Amino acid sequence: MARICGRFDRLGLDDPGRTCRLGIMGGTFDPIHIGHLACAEQVRENFGLDAVVFIPAGVPVYKKHLEVTPAHHRLEMCRLACESNPFFDVSSLEIDRGGDTYTVDTLRELRAHYPDNVELSFITGADAVLSIIKWHESSEIARLARLIAATRPGYVLSDGQKADLRLHADFSITYTEITALAISSSDLRLRIREGKSLRYLAMQCVSDYIGREGLYQEAAHE
Ligand code: ATP
Ligand code: MG
């Protein structure tokens, strides 16, 4: 059996009569922060997901013009961050696949791995909802997985954005409200360059790793 991740490779197999729900959290995770983790945890609770797998992108197509930290570092930070939550795990499948990262390929791989009683839910932050409809093979993405958009209180779509979404009526997105944590990886990278602390913004094990490896010291990302 091909390997997706350590903890949940057998999801659905031991209990064929039950629908199992797997959440997929894609991203660059450069670095992973508590906004990502809280989002995954709250979506897991709101939808009764059995597990959430974080899948760091290899070369994100839409971030090609930016320099991204080597995959093994991003993967290791995700592993460290997820270790203490038994519902979380990390998969290196996008990184191992190499080449450009397309979410549709990842979902196909997951669909081929898991039995039919495993339902896939692709989780994105509210900021990514509008871009997802423009992604490569977006209707195939929607066929393979339920799309869950985590919105924060107060987040409102503009009329133009709503019109954009209506144009893609075949596309069904379930919205769910999560605690607003206005943290981004870009902000964290900037903080590091300015010599500021990441305490309470990233897991301590992640910020220790960043310090040990000397990551994000230079302005290579923007
Ligand atoms: P960057 O600043 O480099 O774009 P990021 O913090 O947005 O980094 P990504 O790796 O781009 O992190 O995001 C991965 C996923 O997590 C996306 O679906 C994004 O919408 C979501 N996400 C990012 N930050 C938050 C947050 N603070 N709260 C909820 N979801 C978030
Ligand atoms: Mg982002």
Side-chain angles (χ1 to χ4, degrees):
M1 186 166 78
R3 195 184 146 90
I4 300 292
C5 61
R7 282 179 176 157
F8 311 119
D9 268 8
R10 292 189 52 80
L11 191 69
L13 282 178
D14 299 330
D15 203 354
R18 185 174 78 91
T19 298
C20 296
R21 299 193 168 89
L22 180 67
I24 300 133
M25 186 86 188
T28 319
F29 305 118
D30 195 12
I32 188 165
H33 53 70
I34 62 161
H36 298 131
L37 295 161
C39 170
E41 179 68 1
Q42 292 186 13
V43 169
R44 183 188 73 72
E45 283 179 336
N46 293 355
F47 290 89
L49 304 182
D50 293 277
V52 177
V53 180
F54 288 71
I55 310 188
V59 184
V61 178
Y62 58 96
K63 286 189 177 170
K64 256 185 159 170
H65 57 293
L66 304 172
E67 264 200 56
V68 172
T69 303
H72 71 277
H73 285 312
R74 292 183 289 112
L75 191 61
E76 186 56 24
M77 290 187 280
C78 287
R79 284 199 178 120
L80 290 167
C82 289
E83 206 160 34
S84 60
N85 186 333
F87 296 105
F88 286 0
D89 202 358
V90 182
S91 175
S92 62
L93 75 85
E94 288 195 353
I95 286 167
D96 296 344
R97 194 165 62 226
D100 289 348
T101 292
Y102 290 109
T103 298
V104 70
D105 296 332
T106 303
L107 293 177
R108 283 196 183 109
E109 221 171 311
L110 292 168
R111 194 61 282 164
H113 174 90
Y114 287 106
D116 288 348
N117 61 321
V118 174
E119 190 185 277
L120 305 178
S121 294
F122 188 78
I123 305 166
T124 76
D127 54 297
V129 178
L130 290 158
S131 60
I132 213 170
I133 58 178
K134 296 175 194 134
W135 286 7
H136 182 63
E137 292 191 61
S138 61
S139 29
E140 182 69 359
I141 293 179
R143 199 186 61 77
L144 289 163
R146 163 158 64 166
L147 295 173
I148 298 178
T151 68
R152 306 145 197 208
Y155 179 88
V156 185
L157 290 175
S158 74
D159 288 348
Q161 289 169 326
K162 280 185 193 149
D164 231 21
L165 283 174
R166 266 198 305 274
L167 279 177
H168 295 76
D170 60 321
F171 223 82
S172 131
I173 300 172
T174 310
Y175 294 87
T176 188
E177 202 165 282
I178 58 163
T179 303
L181 292 169
I183 302 171
S184 71
S185 301
S186 329
D187 285 346
L188 295 200
R189 296 195 297 269
L190 186 63
R191 292 186 68 82
I192 297 165
R193 288 204 297 280
E194 291 175 338
K196 292 179 177 163
S197 146
L198 297 193
R199 189 163 283 171
Y200 314 124
L201 300 175
M203 297 275 289
Q204 192 58 44
C205 50
V206 171
S207 77
D208 289 347
Y209 181 90
I210 291 171
R212 268 200 314 276
E213 299 291 329
L215 302 180
Y216 310 111
Q217 298 297 330
E218 279 143 43
H221 295 269
E222 271 76 29

